[in-house]
């Protein structure tokens, strides 16, 4: 099977789950004999395809920077005019390039990811005469509490135009339905984790600034935006510190809430026990997981939440918000309501205090994460491809 | 062929969501300050008791009474845990009355067990186990004659358990009819137990029991739907002296809802059985009295009727469970030294095996069964809440 995949980010240009997903998915699909042409904006750096069968084709000359800052924070404030212009430029160039490549050798299917790459898929499916699969890694409803009409419009069209839709969780499926997608054409395919890379990583005190001392570490890792719940994390920290003062709360990531969070930690009187790391590159992230005693993902809205699986793969007990896609699969996690600070703090304290609990969670988490591999995601995605092709063929015969 | 039907009747004492952030003084103002009643979620326990009474206990007891009146040859047996009887008194006294009415027929036996549905046999000191059996006998004797047949919590059984129980005067003990105890032999006979004098083991025929308990409403099952005449035919064609059909009483109306036809099945069973000349209903004591043991079984390890493993791993299979259990056990001596009946009672209520059952982390299909019964979102939440309470209780005991 030959796939044209308009994509947005790809290692080393990762700013979130989307990039990780594209990297791991294409790698696992190619291992199954699928050929993929991945069309992405010009990165300005050499990107080595990680496997045979995958071609990375750069389109559009636009600067990557504005998109990066966009996907880092995901907030409306960053939807600048530049971005929309750049996206439109990317769409146009992508359409030309895919058409050109299709003339070399026919594609069987188009697969687009999120609104950023949805337009070329919709435009091309008719002229190329092939079906379109659209993955939603998130929707505008997840990214901001005040959705932007322009993006919603693009997402609605994407939901409409796709032959089959992949949602990364049941939670995302519901959001995609809110966009007007027909329930019957949505398939849920969960993300995975390359558990070995995380399990084998070495802990590094230096990764958290050598700050650990004799303290237990509670980790937050993600963009510092409202949706990820860093404010709830700080409130929980305050409460935990009232009974477990020898605890360090590490916040890894950047985003527009950073100044607010720093001020909060000072006014709450806990700044001594809160460490802000700012943006952390991927390799460092793996070391940070290894020094954590518990990972907390208090997201108010999380389509999936790959970091929870990464922490589990690292053998770290995880506490996750019930309003996350990963909560649907992670049996070894403790689930809490993001608004229930008291409960969240209690669970954190329990994991810090009770070695039998943290050891049991750690053992089960590592085992479970090893089961959540990308091969499964690729298998499920391939089944969606096959279904889309079969449906498309029977429709066109009619 | 004697047909021995036995039902386990129990409702756990579910715990309150106990926060470590509540002011340590908050509870002491309450009426039951140190007595621990705020550890238990009375409103949830009431709600569940009332629901199950309506769906299962009351209608099934009414049907049993009707069957006993209509069929003089019909027999049935139960064991009611002490915590079940207490919750009845507290929330649904009419349930206890209906059991008492069954007892009055003289054809219903109430077996002996641990009052608190506990794992007290597993304590190093066996006095607690014995004390709980005595407590239970006392409670049962309010409406029935205490039985000479014993059933340990979740049918836990071993040579040593049988030996101890025999010394307490029991003549029979219930156990799971496991292949590794029986080898080529059939569960449909009575057995003596290695190392014991004459106590007889009544072995559950798990296939025929689970046909009702688990598979009755399973549409995937090749024998679905199960009817009373089909089941009576199976019983009648068995080889052996007796067949032991043991299950949870909640099978009727709760595990299998009324619309599955489970009550109709029960309603017709005595009549269908009586059509076969070779079937006779018996209570466990009647079995022990009239059927000789054919051989002896050897159970060096503890067996039970729980999960695939049929051992103690449902309660003590992971580190959370073993550490919580040993903390509970280690508090026993201190609690008893205080000579405060309410403290002892609270400690025993925290020894309810269900608290540990909810902490089970098996990954196989058994986990679904644990989840089905659990009031918690995960085994970790079960452990955290239990430990919060146990530690609070420990602090109270030390202060008392």
């Amino acid at each position: 099977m030959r796939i044209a995949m308009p994509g947005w980010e790809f290692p080393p240009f990762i700013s979130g789950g989307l990039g990780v997903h594209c990297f791991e998915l294409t790698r696992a699909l190619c291992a199954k004999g699928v050929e993929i042409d991945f069309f992405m904006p010009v990165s300005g750096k050499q990107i080595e395809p990680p496997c045979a069968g995958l071609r990375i084709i750069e389109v559009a000359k636009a600067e990557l920077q504005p998109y990066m800052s966009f996907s880092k924070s995901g907030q409306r404030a960053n939807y600048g005019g530049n971005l929309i212009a750049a996206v439109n430029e990317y769409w146009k160039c992508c359409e030309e390039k895919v058409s050109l490549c299709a003339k070399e050798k026919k594609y069987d299917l188009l697969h687009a990811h999120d609104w950023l790459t949805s337009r070329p898929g919709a435009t091309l499916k008719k002229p190329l005469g092939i079906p379109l699969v659209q993955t939603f890694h998130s929707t505008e409803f997840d990214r901001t509490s005040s959705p932007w009409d322009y993006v919603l419009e693009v997402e609605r069209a994407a939901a409409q135009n796709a032959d089959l839709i992949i949602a990364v969780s049941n939670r995302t499926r519901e959001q995609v339905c809110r966009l007007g997608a027909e329930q019957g054409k949505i398939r849920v395919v969960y993300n995975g984790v390359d558990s070995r890379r995380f399990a084998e990583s070495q802990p590094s005190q230096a990764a958290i600034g050598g700050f650990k001392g004799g303290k237990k570490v509670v980790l937050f890792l993600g963009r510092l935006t409202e949706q990820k719940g860093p404010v709830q994390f700080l409130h929980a920290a305050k409460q935990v510190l009232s009974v477990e003062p020898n605890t360090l709360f590490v916040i890894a990531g950047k985003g527009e809430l950073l100044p607010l969070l720093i001020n909060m930690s000072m006014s709450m009187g806990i700044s001594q026990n809160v460490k802000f790391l700012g943006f952390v590159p991927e390799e460092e992230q793996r070391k940070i997981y290894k020094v954590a005693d518990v990972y907390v993902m208090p997201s108010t809205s999380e389509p999936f939440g790959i970091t929870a699986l990464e922490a589990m793969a690292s053998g770290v007990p995880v506490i996750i918000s019930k309003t996350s896609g990963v909560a649907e699969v992670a049996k070894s996690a403790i689930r809490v309501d993001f608004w229930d600070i008291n409960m969240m703090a209690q669970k954190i304290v329990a994991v810090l205090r009770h070695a039998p609990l943290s050891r049991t969670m750690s053992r089960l988490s590592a085992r479970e994460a090893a089961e959540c591999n990308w091969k499964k995601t690729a298998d499920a995605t391939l089944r969606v491809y096959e279904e889309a092709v079969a449906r498309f063929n029977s429709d066109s015969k009619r | 062929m004697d047909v021995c039907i036995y039902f386990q009747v129990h409702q756990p004492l579910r715990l309150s969501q106990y926060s470590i952030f509540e002011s340590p003084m908050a509870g002491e103002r309450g009426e039951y300050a140190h007595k621990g009643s705020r550890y238990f979620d009375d409103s949830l326990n009431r709600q569940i008791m009332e629901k199950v009474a309506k769906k299962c206990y009351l209608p099934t007891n009414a049907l049993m009474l009707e069957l006993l009146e209509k069929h003089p040859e019909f027999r049935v047996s139960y064991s009611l845990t002490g915590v079940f009887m207490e919750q009845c008194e507290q929330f649904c006294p009419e349930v206890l009355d209906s059991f008492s009415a069954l007892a009055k027929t003289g054809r219903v036996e109430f077996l002996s067990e641990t009052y608190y549905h506990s794992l007290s046999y597993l304590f190093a000191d066996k006095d607690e186990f014995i004390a709980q059996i005595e407590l239970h006998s006392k409670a049962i004797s309010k409406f029935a004659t205490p039985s000479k047949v014993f059933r340990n919590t979740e049918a836990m059984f071993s040579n040593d358990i049988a030996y101890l129980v025999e010394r307490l005067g029991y003549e029979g003990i219930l156990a799971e009819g496991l292949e590794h105890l029986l080898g080529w032999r059939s569960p449909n006979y009575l057995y003596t137990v290695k190392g014991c004098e004459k106590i007889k083991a009544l072995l559950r025929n798990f296939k025929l029991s689970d046909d009702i308990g688990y598979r009755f409403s399973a549409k995937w099952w090749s024998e679905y739907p199960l009817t009373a005449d089909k089941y009576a035919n199976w019983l009648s064609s068995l080889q052996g002296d007796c067949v032991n059909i043991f299950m949870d009483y909640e099978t009727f109306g709760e595990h299998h809802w009324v619309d599955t036809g489970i009550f109709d099945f029960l309603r017709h069973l005595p009549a269908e059985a009586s059509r076969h000349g070779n079937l006779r209903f018996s209570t466990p004591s009647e079995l022990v009295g009239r059927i000789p043991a054919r051989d002896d079984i050897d159970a060096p390890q503890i067996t039970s009727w729980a999960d695939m493993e049929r051992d103690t791993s449902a309660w003590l299979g992971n580190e959370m469970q073993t550490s919580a259990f040993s903390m509970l056990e280690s508090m026993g001596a201190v609690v008893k030294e205080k000579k405060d009946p309410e403290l002892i009672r609270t400690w025993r209520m925290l020894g309810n095996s269900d608290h540990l059952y909810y902490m089970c982390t098996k990954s196989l299909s058994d986990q679904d069964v644990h989840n089905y019964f659990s009031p918690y979102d995960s085994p970790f939440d079960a452990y955290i809440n239990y430990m919060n309470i146990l530690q609070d209780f420990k602090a109270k005991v030390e202060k008392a």
Side-chain angles (χ1 to χ4, degrees):
Chain A
M1 197 176 268
R2 219 170 154 254
I3 312 293
M5 190 180 287
W8 195 255
E9 35 179 46
F10 204 84
F13 297 100
I14 294 186
S15 60
L18 178 55
V20 176
H21 178 98
C22 289
F23 175 78
E24 299 287 359
L25 177 72
T26 50
R27 202 160 64 137
L29 281 172
C30 290
K32 298 172 72 71
V34 178
E35 283 176 52
I36 300 171
D37 284 353
F38 191 84
F39 298 87
M40 68 177 289
V42 172
S43 63
K45 286 191 183 166
Q46 194 61 37
I47 296 180
E48 284 298 321
C51 55
L54 175 66
R55 285 202 300 175
I56 294 186
I57 299 166
E58 293 189 316
V59 299
K61 293 190 188 76
E63 289 287 317
L64 196 71
Q65 201 47 45
Y67 327 144
M68 293 298 290
S69 69
F70 155 74
S71 37
K72 267 282 165 340
S73 72
Q75 288 299 296
R76 185 175 175 169
N78 292 294
Y79 287 143
N82 280 350
L83 173 68
I84 297 306
V87 169
N88 275 283
E89 175 69 8
Y90 163 72
W91 286 345
K92 201 174 118 248
C93 300
C94 190
E95 283 158 21
E96 284 165 13
K97 196 79 180 182
V98 175
S99 307
L100 216 62
C101 291
K103 281 182 191 138
E104 286 170 31
K105 198 174 169 193
K106 193 178 170 349
Y107 292 115
D108 298 295
L109 182 135
L110 283 151
H111 183 182
H113 296 274
D114 277 2
W115 74 275
L116 283 158
T117 74
S118 64
R119 187 67 63 80
T123 315
L124 288 166
K125 63 177 249 187
K126 274 240 169 70
L128 297 184
I130 54 176
L132 168 64
V133 170
Q134 167 78 45
T135 295
F136 280 96
H137 299 271
S138 64
T139 66
E140 183 69 357
F141 300 123
D142 302 299
R143 286 187 291 264
T144 164
S145 47
S146 44
W148 200 32
D149 287 343
Y150 180 82
V151 178
L152 275 181
E153 217 33 68
V154 176
E155 289 188 337
R156 285 199 190 99
Q160 200 67 43
N161 288 324
D163 292 280
L164 283 180
I165 293 171
I166 293 176
V168 293
S169 61
N170 281 313
R171 180 182 167 73
T172 306
R173 177 216 292 263
E174 281 161 28
Q175 304 286 45
V176 175
C177 284
R178 282 176 72 191
L179 293 169
E182 193 190 309
Q183 173 96 347
K185 68 178 188 184
I186 309 174
R187 305 287 174 267
V188 172
V189 177
Y190 292 108
N191 283 314
V193 65
D194 181 358
S195 61
R196 231 176 16 190
R197 279 199 317 154
F198 291 89
E200 286 168 359
S201 175
Q202 290 304 311
S204 159
Q205 299 267 343
I208 56 164
F211 205 75
K212 179 162 177 165
K215 294 186 176 74
K216 294 273 180 88
V217 170
V218 183
L219 176 65
F220 174 99
L221 194 154
R223 280 179 289 118
L224 303 182
T225 63
E226 183 193 337
Q227 148 216 8
K228 298 283 182 186
V231 171
Q232 285 81 354
F233 183 75
L234 277 189
H235 283 297
K238 165 97 179 159
Q239 205 157 344
V240 170
L241 287 166
S242 72
V243 292
E244 287 291 328
N246 203 24
T247 309
L248 180 65
F249 290 81
V250 172
I251 297 181
K254 67 177 190 180
E256 81 277 354
L257 289 186
L258 182 60
L260 173 90
L261 295 166
I262 292 173
N263 283 334
M264 262 184 76
S265 72
M266 287 191 292
S267 64
M268 290 165 98
I270 57 172
S271 57
Q272 292 289 318
N273 294 74
V274 181
K275 173 89 177 158
F276 292 93
L277 299 184
F279 174 76
V280 177
E282 199 213 341
E283 202 185 306
E284 288 293 293
Q285 287 180 13
R286 295 203 296 271
K287 294 178 180 167
I288 292 175
Y289 285 128
K290 282 282 181 178
V291 289
D293 293 284
V294 52
Y295 177 70
V296 184
M297 193 184 80
S299 307
T300 61
S301 177
E302 186 70 70
F304 186 79
I306 287 184
T307 56
L309 286 185
E310 293 175 348
M312 285 167 63
S314 313
V316 181
V318 303
I319 299 173
I320 57 179
S321 133
K322 287 178 186 168
T323 45
S324 68
V326 70
E328 295 166 22
V329 280
K331 287 201 182 78
S332 316
I334 292 177
R335 288 173 287 256
V336 292
D337 291 305
F338 69 84
W339 42 263
D340 194 346
I341 302 299
N342 187 306
M343 191 56 83
M344 196 186 301
Q346 258 200 85
K347 307 291 178 184
I348 294 171
V349 170
V351 176
L352 297 179
R353 279 187 182 170
H354 301 301
L357 172 65
S358 67
R359 280 197 294 261
T360 305
M361 287 186 76
S362 167
R363 177 172 58 80
L364 295 172
S365 295
R367 196 169 72 188
E368 187 178 0
E371 297 282 311
C372 297
N373 52 55
W374 287 103
K375 190 181 166 298
K376 276 191 187 157
T377 309
D379 287 345
T381 304
L382 193 55
R383 281 196 295 276
V384 177
Y385 288 171
E386 285 161 356
E387 187 188 349
V389 169
R391 280 164 69 125
F392 187 83
N393 288 344
S394 75
D395 281 354
S396 43
K397 268 178 210 150
R398 229 179 271 151
Chain B
M1 170 68 65
D2 285 57
V3 180
C4 176
I5 299 178
Y6 155 83
F7 300 109
Q8 160 70 13
V9 193
H10 171 61
Q11 279 300 329
L13 290 163
R14 295 161 198 89
L15 299 171
S16 309
Q17 276 293 339
Y18 202 80
S19 170
I20 52 163
F21 292 115
E22 276 168 7
S23 150
M25 299 304 289
E28 310 207 355
R29 277 183 246 118
E31 191 185 343
Y32 298 104
H34 70 288
K35 297 180 177 169
S37 72
R38 68 196 182 108
Y39 295 151
F40 301 93
D41 190 339
D42 279 357
S43 110
L44 178 64
N45 289 325
R46 170 190 293 276
Q47 194 189 322
I48 293 178
M49 185 55 124
E50 285 174 350
K51 185 190 81 178
V52 183
K54 209 166 121 193
K55 284 171 78 178
C56 166
Y57 303 135
L58 292 172
T60 318
N61 281 0
L63 177 56
M64 286 293 181
L65 191 62
E66 189 187 318
L67 293 173
L68 286 158
E69 281 164 358
K70 199 163 150 195
H71 302 278
E73 76 289 358
F74 189 52
R75 302 279 189 284
V76 64
S77 61
Y78 296 93
S79 70
L80 278 51
T81 64
V83 291
F84 172 81
M85 291 186 274
E86 275 183 25
Q87 292 188 82
C88 282
E89 275 171 14
Q90 206 180 343
F91 307 131
C92 300
E94 65 275 25
V95 171
L96 219 48
D97 296 342
S98 66
F99 276 111
S100 170
L102 292 178
K104 285 202 182 85
T105 65
R107 284 178 281 132
V108 177
E109 182 171 12
F110 289 87
L111 305 187
S112 185
E113 66 170 310
T114 60
Y115 188 95
Y116 288 93
H117 196 66
S118 70
L119 303 178
S120 51
Y121 176 80
L122 298 174
F123 291 160
D125 178 0
K126 305 299 177 205
D127 289 352
E128 177 59 23
F129 176 65
I130 296 167
Q132 288 198 16
I133 296 172
E134 283 167 2
L135 272 177
H136 183 264
S137 296
K138 210 190 264 175
I140 281 290
S141 58
K142 284 182 199 156
F143 66 91
T145 319
S147 167
K148 287 287 161 202
V149 176
F150 181 76
R151 181 211 107 114
N152 199 8
T153 307
E154 303 292 344
M156 280 193 291
F157 170 81
S158 70
N159 296 343
D160 293 342
I161 294 173
Y163 179 77
L164 175 53
V165 166
E166 179 170 47
R167 279 197 316 172
L168 299 176
Y170 289 96
E171 294 163 4
I173 181 167
L174 270 51
E176 181 73 356
L178 287 169
E179 274 147 31
H180 74 257
L181 293 182
L182 287 164
W184 56 270
R185 297 170 299 181
S186 156
N188 304 336
Y189 295 94
L190 295 189
Y191 293 87
T192 46
V193 183
K194 190 169 178 188
C196 300
E197 241 174 89
K198 57 180 196 222
I199 190 169
K200 290 172 182 165
L202 286 68
L203 301 178
R204 186 172 92 110
N205 184 313
F206 63 79
K207 193 202 156 289
L208 282 161
S209 300
D210 290 347
D211 284 345
I212 303 174
Y214 287 113
R215 287 180 285 272
F216 183 81
S217 56
K219 298 215 164 93
W220 50 263
W221 184 32
S222 59
E223 297 294 346
Y224 179 87
L226 181 61
T227 55
D229 69 321
K230 188 195 287 185
Y231 196 74
N233 273 330
W234 291 348
L235 295 179
S236 167
S237 61
L238 290 174
Q239 298 287 313
D241 293 337
C242 58
V243 55
N244 297 312
I245 315 292
F246 303 164
M247 69 192 79
D248 285 340
Y249 202 34
E250 294 78 15
T251 298
F252 299 96
E254 171 65 14
H255 302 342
H256 303 295
W257 291 9
V258 59
D259 58 10
T260 62
I262 190 81
F263 286 101
D264 296 322
F265 172 84
L266 177 60
R267 184 184 305 281
H268 293 106
L269 190 61
E272 289 298 334
S274 67
R275 284 153 39 107
H276 298 274
N278 66 338
L279 295 180
R280 170 173 63 176
F281 290 102
S282 300
T283 62
S285 286
E286 285 171 335
L287 286 192
V288 169
R290 67 179 165 226
I291 296 180
R294 300 288 180 161
D295 201 350
D296 77 21
I297 50 170
D298 179 15
Q301 310 289 338
I302 294 177
T303 64
S304 79
W305 76 358
D307 290 356
M308 299 287 284
E309 292 84 357
R310 304 285 215 275
D311 56 14
T312 58
S313 61
W315 310 278
L316 298 170
N318 67 39
E319 198 188 346
M320 298 189 296
Q321 294 170 310
T322 51
S323 69
F325 180 72
S326 64
M327 181 167 165
L328 177 87
E329 179 179 10
S330 70
M331 286 169 63
V334 188
V335 169
K336 286 180 180 171
E337 268 170 28
K338 303 287 178 184
K339 307 238 185 275
D340 177 339
E342 278 302 326
L343 285 181
I344 296 175
R345 200 177 120 71
T346 301
W347 176 70
R348 285 174 169 162
M349 285 159 85
L350 293 173
N352 205 185
S353 64
D354 305 273
H355 304 314
L356 294 168
Y357 188 82
Y358 303 143
M359 299 176 200
C360 176
T361 52
K362 289 180 194 175
S363 55
L364 300 169
S365 59
D366 280 334
Q367 187 59 46
D368 298 334
V369 180
H370 287 255
N371 292 344
Y372 170 81
F373 288 107
S374 178
Y376 295 100
D377 187 55
S378 77
F380 315 116
D381 297 294
Y383 172 81
I384 293 170
N385 199 42
Y386 185 76
M387 290 305 284
N388 286 353
I389 287 176
L390 201 58
Q391 287 184 328
D392 183 271
F393 179 61
K394 190 174 183 208
K396 283 204 169 71
V397 170
E398 280 161 5
K399 266 192 278 172

